[in-house]
Amino acid sequence: MASTDISIAVTAGKDGGESAVPSYAPAALELPSIEQTLADLPESSDSLPSRSSDTLAQEEQEKMFRALKHILDNFHGSDESSQSFDLKELHSSLEQADEDARRGQRDVSPLQKVIIILHNLWAANSGLLSQAAEALANGSRDPSWRIPIGQSGVLKFFLDVISSKEQVETSLLLHSLRLIGNSCADTDENREVVVKDNYTLAIIRHFLNPDLIQVAIPVIYNICMDYEPAHSQMAENRAAYIILSLLKDGTISDNEALLSFSYDLVELASEQATGIERSPDGIILLMMELALSEDIILEHYSSLITSLSAYLDKERFQNACIVNKLVEKTLSVLKRSFSIEKGLSAKEDVQNLGELRLKLNVALAEVSASPLFAEHYPLDSELSKTLKSWVVSGEDQLQICACVMLGNLARSDEICQTMVNDLKIHEELISVLNSTARGAVLHSVLGFLKNLAIAGENRLSLAQAGIIPAVSRLWVFDSVPQVQFSAATIARQVIISSMDNISRLLTRLSQDPDSPAHQRTYLSLLLSLFEKTDSSPIKTEIGRTIASICRTTCPKVRDGDTEAASLLEMLFKLHEGVAHPIGAMITQTQWPVVRSEGWFALALMATTETGCTAVVECLNNDDVMDVLKKTMACEPSKSDDGVETAQPQLQKDHDNALVLVQALLKSEADLLPIGYRETLGDLVKNHAGHSLTSDQGMP
């Protein structure tokens, strides 16, 4: 971004004096006054000699000034020394600045004489120094003079003027600031002079002078723009907090261009980690209060939300937000964006606002993930009630916010059960799944439901509320694979150790015997997804669902449970290729514990009469058969004292694969092709009988 000409003629205003931050914050929040903020920063050095109380004769002063004026006649624009100009013109000069900077550079020698005159006028305490400063400031608007101004020492002289602890007239300070700002526009050599001795702090101190603030803020803007060292120094000097305080108390309010510079500087400061670290906790409150202003515009709201999100990314400010009960206010800031949107017409602006909501939602997600959040915002808090109302609000980002934050609150079985049993929040979430909500909303709702389903007692309630039909329609949601994956995961979660919910998953899609859907179930839809998807995680999740059905029903069948036998018969009778997803569990290499569960599930299937056919069909896959051979060949090695030393996981896989092969050879040998039967027979030679071994920790 280009810099701006500091070409402001400021009308004299009320006498200066530092503005204190008004008392609008909670008592516990660190919100120091501007005076306190500046007092904590280092004092500037006073490099200029003391001004003499004995002034030179007027004739001598005028002689010196005429000499200086003669030198300055070559300055571009020096005839405009008394011209007034408007701050609103500053923005229009930004794009021109880069082009102007390509002009030729002036000779530095004339300014070497000027610096001598300037020091003499300072030492003489001459009032003509202000006029000299104005002429030089006007000349500095010509890019060709900027380097000479720095090399000659003129820039350093005026930096020392604004840093002086002596009483300096406002007009001299004003034009000194103008010269500094103009000289540093797109000129890193001069910016380096400013940064070297931390002159940015001296400029920031002049923010408190109502007669200078209109110049001082654009000066800092010029120095910082596209120059990281100044950018960083400005942030470390707490410029963001000071500017926000001035914005909040109304000191910066009447000028559109000045407001834009101010908010831009706040956003720039938020990009610096050291600046964030040195800011008081109360800076987030200032941002929130300003973002909630009735007259806030999108440009300024954007800077505030970008900055607030950066601060809330840090644990310290997350904790401050929670402890000081500012999370509610942050939610209000998010909701405020919807009233701003009503006044927008440009598609680009609406898109920008959507990105800001996303940033704020990410920040709120981080805040709600803090252990302090549940402590300060229990389920019966007003904030939780607000979030619950947002679940069905119809506004995407409010729904996402509610699901993520309440989902983060659902960290224990007790809280999850209360949400389901008392708040009935699962019913509202399922209603969203059945709506026309967009993919991002569906993903957040599913994430919340997955948390609720972890509590075992909730699974029956979720299924009774219709979660299986609700997620089944999302298994064809191929435009957002994350939604498909989460929807498949919930199906697996709700059937864990639940005969009732397994029965629901195996429910026929139509009770009409003449309908083709009568031969299909919700599990059929899940298997269709398995055949269509290229996603290994989705394939694996479907396999784990079938494995979970086998884990629950097969042992009950062996014990004579007729209901389990009926479900197992439906599993194999109505679902062709039902063991293929188990094969996907076995052939994937990312999760060894999942592969082990695959062997366990196939072994369970093989121990039942109806399951053997499905297992044989699975083993017809060459990849599965290759893994079986490798697993069977991986026998436990023995140490010198005869103790087996195989890894426990590999031992379980080996044992379950052996049980699988033995069961196939014993029960359904005729189903195996001759080559397979011989291969399997060779694999079990010299192996004693084994029993099934499961990873009970498998979620």
Side-chain angles (χ1 to χ4, degrees), residues 122-143:
W122 170 266
N125 200 11
S126 172
L128 293 175
L129 183 56
S130 178
Q131 295 180 44
E134 182 177 9
L136 285 163
N138 289 338
S140 66
R141 296 171 64 184
D142 182 345

Short mmCIF file of all heavy atoms in Angstrom, two decimals, residues 122-143:
data_model
loop_
_atom_site.label_atom_id
_atom_site.label_comp_id
_atom_site.label_asym_id
_atom_site.label_seq_id
_atom_site.Cartn_x
_atom_site.Cartn_y
_atom_site.Cartn_z
N TRP A 122 16.73 27.43 16.35
CA TRP A 122 16.31 26.72 17.57
C TRP A 122 17.02 27.30 18.79
O TRP A 122 16.37 27.60 19.82
CB TRP A 122 16.62 25.23 17.45
CG TRP A 122 16.45 24.46 18.74
CD1 TRP A 122 17.42 24.18 19.66
CD2 TRP A 122 15.23 23.93 19.26
NE1 TRP A 122 16.91 23.50 20.72
CE2 TRP A 122 15.54 23.31 20.51
CE3 TRP A 122 13.92 23.89 18.82
CZ2 TRP A 122 14.59 22.68 21.30
CZ3 TRP A 122 12.96 23.25 19.60
CH2 TRP A 122 13.30 22.65 20.83
N ALA A 123 18.33 27.45 18.68
CA ALA A 123 19.10 27.96 19.82
C ALA A 123 18.65 29.36 20.21
O ALA A 123 18.67 29.73 21.39
CB ALA A 123 20.59 27.95 19.48
N ALA A 124 18.22 30.15 19.19
CA ALA A 124 17.78 31.53 19.46
C ALA A 124 16.33 31.59 19.89
O ALA A 124 15.81 32.69 20.14
CB ALA A 124 17.98 32.38 18.21
N ASN A 125 15.69 30.44 19.95
CA ASN A 125 14.27 30.42 20.35
C ASN A 125 13.44 31.30 19.42
O ASN A 125 12.55 32.02 19.85
CB ASN A 125 14.11 30.86 21.80
CG ASN A 125 12.78 30.39 22.40
OD1 ASN A 125 12.08 29.57 21.81
ND2 ASN A 125 12.44 30.93 23.55
N SER A 126 13.75 31.21 18.14
CA SER A 126 13.12 32.10 17.16
C SER A 126 11.75 31.59 16.74
O SER A 126 11.57 30.40 16.45
CB SER A 126 14.01 32.23 15.92
OG SER A 126 13.34 32.93 14.90
N GLY A 127 10.80 32.49 16.67
CA GLY A 127 9.48 32.15 16.18
C GLY A 127 9.47 31.84 14.69
O GLY A 127 8.53 31.23 14.18
N LEU A 128 10.55 32.27 13.99
CA LEU A 128 10.62 32.00 12.55
C LEU A 128 10.90 30.52 12.25
O LEU A 128 10.77 30.09 11.11
CB LEU A 128 11.72 32.86 11.92
CG LEU A 128 11.45 34.37 11.92
CD1 LEU A 128 12.65 35.11 11.38
CD2 LEU A 128 10.21 34.67 11.08
N LEU A 129 11.29 29.77 13.28
CA LEU A 129 11.57 28.35 13.05
C LEU A 129 10.31 27.61 12.59
O LEU A 129 10.37 26.69 11.78
CB LEU A 129 12.11 27.70 14.34
CG LEU A 129 12.51 26.22 14.24
CD1 LEU A 129 13.53 26.00 13.14
CD2 LEU A 129 13.05 25.74 15.59
N SER A 130 9.17 28.05 13.09
CA SER A 130 7.91 27.43 12.68
C SER A 130 7.65 27.66 11.20
O SER A 130 7.20 26.75 10.48
CB SER A 130 6.75 27.98 13.51
OG SER A 130 5.53 27.43 13.10
N GLN A 131 7.94 28.89 10.72
CA GLN A 131 7.76 29.17 9.29
C GLN A 131 8.73 28.34 8.45
O GLN A 131 8.39 27.87 7.36
CB GLN A 131 7.97 30.65 9.03
CG GLN A 131 6.94 31.55 9.69
CD GLN A 131 7.19 33.02 9.39
OE1 GLN A 131 7.47 33.38 8.24
NE2 GLN A 131 7.10 33.86 10.41
N ALA A 132 9.96 28.20 8.95
CA ALA A 132 10.94 27.39 8.23
C ALA A 132 10.48 25.93 8.16
O ALA A 132 10.60 25.27 7.12
CB ALA A 132 12.30 27.48 8.94
N ALA A 133 9.93 25.45 9.27
CA ALA A 133 9.43 24.08 9.31
C ALA A 133 8.29 23.89 8.31
O ALA A 133 8.20 22.88 7.61
CB ALA A 133 8.97 23.73 10.71
N GLU A 134 7.41 24.90 8.21
CA GLU A 134 6.28 24.81 7.28
C GLU A 134 6.78 24.75 5.84
O GLU A 134 6.30 23.96 5.03
CB GLU A 134 5.34 25.99 7.48
CG GLU A 134 4.12 25.94 6.57
CD GLU A 134 3.15 27.08 6.83
OE1 GLU A 134 3.50 28.00 7.59
OE2 GLU A 134 2.05 27.04 6.26
N ALA A 135 7.76 25.60 5.51
CA ALA A 135 8.29 25.62 4.15
C ALA A 135 8.96 24.28 3.82
O ALA A 135 8.79 23.74 2.72
CB ALA A 135 9.28 26.77 4.00
N LEU A 136 9.73 23.76 4.76
CA LEU A 136 10.38 22.48 4.54
C LEU A 136 9.35 21.34 4.43
O LEU A 136 9.51 20.42 3.62
CB LEU A 136 11.36 22.19 5.67
CG LEU A 136 12.67 23.00 5.62
CD1 LEU A 136 13.36 22.96 6.97
CD2 LEU A 136 13.58 22.45 4.53
N ALA A 137 8.31 21.40 5.27
CA ALA A 137 7.27 20.36 5.22
C ALA A 137 6.58 20.36 3.87
O ALA A 137 6.30 19.30 3.29
CB ALA A 137 6.26 20.58 6.34
N ASN A 138 6.30 21.57 3.34
CA ASN A 138 5.68 21.65 2.02
C ASN A 138 6.62 21.10 0.94
O ASN A 138 6.19 20.39 0.03
CB ASN A 138 5.30 23.09 1.69
CG ASN A 138 4.12 23.57 2.52
OD1 ASN A 138 3.34 22.76 3.02
ND2 ASN A 138 3.98 24.87 2.68
N GLY A 139 7.90 21.43 1.05
CA GLY A 139 8.86 20.92 0.08
C GLY A 139 9.01 19.42 0.15
O GLY A 139 9.25 18.75 -0.85
N SER A 140 8.83 18.86 1.35
CA SER A 140 9.01 17.42 1.51
C SER A 140 7.92 16.61 0.83
O SER A 140 8.02 15.39 0.70
CB SER A 140 9.05 17.05 3.00
OG SER A 140 7.79 17.29 3.62
N ARG A 141 6.88 17.31 0.35
CA ARG A 141 5.84 16.61 -0.39
C ARG A 141 6.34 16.15 -1.76
O ARG A 141 5.77 15.27 -2.37
CB ARG A 141 4.62 17.52 -0.54
CG ARG A 141 3.97 17.88 0.80
CD ARG A 141 2.90 18.95 0.64
NE ARG A 141 1.79 18.48 -0.18
CZ ARG A 141 0.76 19.24 -0.54
NH1 ARG A 141 0.73 20.52 -0.17
NH2 ARG A 141 -0.20 18.75 -1.28
N ASP A 142 7.41 16.75 -2.22
CA ASP A 142 8.04 16.34 -3.47
C ASP A 142 8.94 15.15 -3.17
O ASP A 142 9.92 15.26 -2.43
CB ASP A 142 8.86 17.50 -4.04
CG ASP A 142 9.52 17.15 -5.37
OD1 ASP A 142 9.58 15.96 -5.72
OD2 ASP A 142 9.96 18.09 -6.05
N PRO A 143 8.64 13.95 -3.71
CA PRO A 143 9.43 12.76 -3.40
C PRO A 143 10.91 12.92 -3.67
O PRO A 143 11.73 12.25 -3.01
CB PRO A 143 8.81 11.68 -4.30
CG PRO A 143 7.41 12.15 -4.56
CD PRO A 143 7.50 13.64 -4.61
#
